[in-house]
Amino acid sequence: MVGGVAGGAVSGLVRRSMARIVQKFGGTSLSDVERIKQVARRIKREVDAGNEVAVVVSAMAGATNRLVDWTRNISHLHDAREYDVVVSSGEQVTAGLVALALQDLGVDARSWLGWQIPIRTDGVHGKARIEAIDVAEIGRRLGQGQVPVIAGFQGLGPRGRITTLGRGGSDTSAVALAAALEAERCDIFTDVDGVYTTDPRIVAKARKLGRITYEEMLELASQGAKVLQTRSVAMAMNHRVRLQVLSSFTDAPGTFVVDEDEIVEKQVVSGIAYSRDEAKITVQRVADRPGVAAAIFGPLADNAINVDMIVQNVSEDGRTTDLTFTVARADLDRAVAVLEQRRDLLGFAALKPDPNVVKVSVIGVGMRSHAGVAKQMFQTLADKGINIQVISTSEIKVSVLIAAEYTELALRALHTAYDLDAIE
């Protein structure tokens, strides 16, 4: 595991007085040569401050999508191993360019690819998981004042093949590297200047959070907030890597993602997330008998279709039930096809798919010690005439499914109801 490698890899190094920082830059930060030069100047400032800096880079904005399209145009049923070779090349380009830009500023820098470190992964091409990172050489170079610029998103599989980590993989690379190097923090530079209480494009009074817990960030990410990738937050939480989300384009302070113990006064609700990537399916009048849920959801799982929210309504006579659940909108047609193929076996009367829904979630660690959060959510939506179709909860989250047309109204009303509006 990453944590195990970290201890063994750096134990022989001289204890450092300066900070060790991992900086990760996303595709929008590296979209052209001028922005790459700006990134290099930002890295140099941290080096000039006396810190050891390791850099992780994504591909230039749009590059990965272009590479994916090329593989699909060549072969619809492509070899996943060759797919990884192609799509991982975007990060190789930016790693080299950033290293060159740093050298041009007089900073000692060297690019590294995943296999050169190596970042070892399992053999699941396209969505590999990191198993270990050997940071001995990277640590030595940092100690000498060199800046390693590491291609994110990629690793080395058990058979010596290049692997890629899937969506948001560069964030995961950066957090894993920070854990292995025992870095003081991992700075994630993106096109937003931090984590907000909700989407500021919809709610003008949304405000930036100074700190947020790992658990809250994990819920926000999984419920639709696109600031950080879910896997990277989970890894940061497991290895207690302090994250900072900040913008590449301003010098404003960002948002720290930290352990709950670092936040003295916890908000009941810290943020409101929403996801438009949902679709609802209602299976009507299926027999209410043991095993029916497994018969419906089993084939969906077998076809790699994830089910999220679920509600069941039993008829008055107790003989039939309606099952309503959500899937990713991209999986809706496939899910309907899987169930229609089993109509005779399942015995349902009809399927009602609905892509025009949105999931809205209120999130906060303070919910653990405060009652009435769900009641306030339901009452606020009711006062605005918004019908709740499905409900799901966790210890620090309440989610509801509503008609997509009410998204903006719901977000603004809930943001005000939980006293999250910025003071003007």
Side-chain angles (χ1 to χ4, degrees), residues 1 25 34-35 209 276 295 313 333 368 389 399:
M1 297 301 292
F25 294 91
E34 186 50 45
R35 285 193 174 176
L209 297 167
R276 300 185 190 273
N313 295 310
D333 291 343
R368 294 193 184 113
Q389 301 178 22
S399 296

Side-chain angles (χ1 to χ4, degrees), residues 111-144:
S111 64
W112 294 76
L113 304 184
W115 63 267
Q116 292 175 301
I117 294 175
I119 298 173
R120 299 195 179 277
T121 73
D122 62 21
V124 183
H125 287 273
K127 50 182 178 181
R129 301 187 72 84
I130 296 173
E131 294 184 339
I133 303 179
D134 184 352
V135 293
E137 183 59 21
I138 293 291
R140 190 178 71 80
R141 299 290 184 99
L142 283 168
Q144 295 174 345

